[in-house]
Structures are given as structure tokens and as C-alpha cells.
Amino acid sequence: MELQLALDLVNIPEAKQIVAEVQEHIDIVEIGTPVVINEGLRAVKEIKEQFPSLKVLADLKVMDAGAYEVMKAAEAGADIVTILGATDDATIRGAVEEAKKHNTKILVDMINVKDIETRAREIDALGVDYICVHTGYDLQAEGQSPFEQLRIIKNVVKNSKTAVAGGIKLDTLPDVVKANPDLVIVGGGITGQADKKAVAAEMQRLVAQG
């Protein structure tokens, strides 16, 4: 089980500062969609150059032109690129084919997919590396969590690794670990804490037990 740090509400200098603080306790750095919108793929390139031992995920949430967008992210140094599960199979297949050329992984984000079980089964057959259940920011504000969806995909996914994101904090992490995903994605649960390093270290310890 790996731990991914999601960076959403930062610029490049702030991102570097946070990663420097917690780098020994995480496996993957996610350059979140807001960062990519504000800073471009340069954010992926600069983080990868400064922290070459960490994997970098570009959260592009690709909905079309899968091969092209994966190619551009891979050129910037992305190890993993996100595609939306709500897109069509052709986009996912194109992304997977392109990713193989660059030794890049594909994570499919299931945010807003209505029939999680059916779609997870379909996507699992397309050769993606991760399928991620994700409760978005707006739904988190309404009290929703991704834990039930994680249990659903764990039952149907046979080939891909499973990932979970959405409002995970230190006090809810033990429940996540029990569900045994391959990848746990944490944003504000680390970045919003006063002692980011201590929280990341404790999360790493819990994830290592999974």
C-alpha cells in the first residue's frame, strides 16, 4: 500500500516547500488539477526534477484526446496520469497505449460515475494501472465519503490496482487501511496540518500495516 500526497491549492514554490517537508514519508506527489490549471505542466516537470526519487502524478482528469494528453504529461516527467472513468473507452484505450510507450501509468478517476460496479469492471478490462474511487470536494462538504465505493470496486477489480481519495484524515485512515486499497491519496489531511511531517509519518506507519 502506497501513500500519495495531493497538492491542489499551492503554487510551485509552495509545492516544493511542502514536498521537502514530507518527502521521506510519501511515495507519490500529485500535482492537482488546480495547480496544473494555474501553473501548467511546468509544475510536474519542476517537482520531478527536484524530487527524482518520488513518483509524480499529473491530475489532468483527461476526458478526451487521451493519447495526446498522456504524451504531453509524460514528456513533462509524469509517472502517472489521471483519466476520468466517465469518458469513453476509446479515450482510455488511447491513454493506455500511449502510456506504455513512456513507461507511464494510468489512474482512472471514478468521480461522478453513477454505476461504479459496472464501470469498474469495464475499465478493469482496458489495461489501466489504477482505478480510484473519489469523493469530490463539493460532495465532501455534504458529508459523503469514498469508503463504500472502495468496497464495491475491491469486489470487482481483478487486474488493476485500487486507489481511494476524498477527505481522508488521520482519524479516518485506519478504516481506509482495513479496506486494503493499493494506494491511499491524502490532500488536506496532510497539507492542512500544522506539523505536516509528523502527520505524514504517522500516516506512512498506518499505511505500511496494510
Side-chain angles (χ1 to χ4, degrees):
M1 195 180 298
E2 291 185 302
L3 180 61
Q4 175 172 311
L5 171 67
L7 298 174
D8 286 316
L9 304 176
V10 294
N11 56 35
I12 292 174
E14 290 167 343
K16 289 179 177 178
Q17 187 176 354
I18 292 171
V19 176
E21 199 172 334
V22 303
Q23 61 178 316
E24 64 194 274
H25 303 299
I26 61 173
D27 303 290
I28 302 169
V29 181
E30 171 186 331
I31 304 303
T33 314
V35 182
V36 175
I37 289 170
N38 290 328
E39 301 275 14
L41 286 170
R42 184 169 61 93
V44 173
K45 187 173 188 292
E46 290 197 25
I47 292 294
K48 187 62 183 180
E49 286 175 350
Q50 185 151 336
F51 304 97
S53 64
L54 293 175
K55 287 180 275 189
V56 176
L57 177 143
D59 189 20
L60 302 188
K61 293 189 173 74
V62 174
M63 193 68 175
D64 191 20
Y68 177 78
E69 297 206 13
V70 167
M71 176 185 71
K72 300 310 289 185
E75 287 174 355
D79 299 287
I80 308 170
V81 183
T82 63
I83 313 293
L84 290 180
T87 192
D88 55 79
D89 290 358
T91 297
I92 297 174
R93 278 195 292 267
V96 168
E97 289 172 11
E98 186 66 27
K100 287 177 180 173
K101 298 176 187 176
H102 303 278
N103 198 28
T104 301
K105 307 294 186 188
I106 296 298
L107 181 146
V108 172
D109 186 333
M110 301 293 277
I111 191 169
N112 290 339
V113 170
K114 301 307 178 191
D115 186 346
I116 286 279
E117 184 172 348
T118 300
R119 190 64 180 135
R121 192 175 277 114
E122 293 168 352
I123 291 169
D124 190 41
L126 296 176
V128 306
D129 300 284
Y130 298 89
I131 296 177
C132 178
V133 291
H134 180 189
T135 300
Y137 182 82
D138 295 331
L139 290 180
Q140 288 176 46
E142 296 178 3
Q144 295 193 29
S145 80
F147 304 146
E148 179 55 37
Q149 291 184 343
L150 176 58
R151 284 190 282 272
I152 290 170
I153 70 163
K154 286 293 291 185
N155 286 332
V156 300
V157 169
K158 307 297 181 192
N159 305 305
S160 310
K161 293 180 177 180
T162 56
V164 58
I168 298 169
K169 305 282 195 296
L170 190 54
D171 60 345
T172 57
L173 185 57
D175 290 333
V176 177
V177 170
K178 283 178 193 169
N180 198 34
D182 298 291
L183 176 60
V184 178
I185 302 169
V186 179
I190 292 175
T191 61
Q193 307 307 307
D195 191 341
K196 299 172 184 59
K197 184 179 177 70
V199 173
E202 179 60 14
M203 285 189 166
Q204 179 190 43
R205 187 186 69 79
L206 291 169
V207 164
Q209 296 173 355

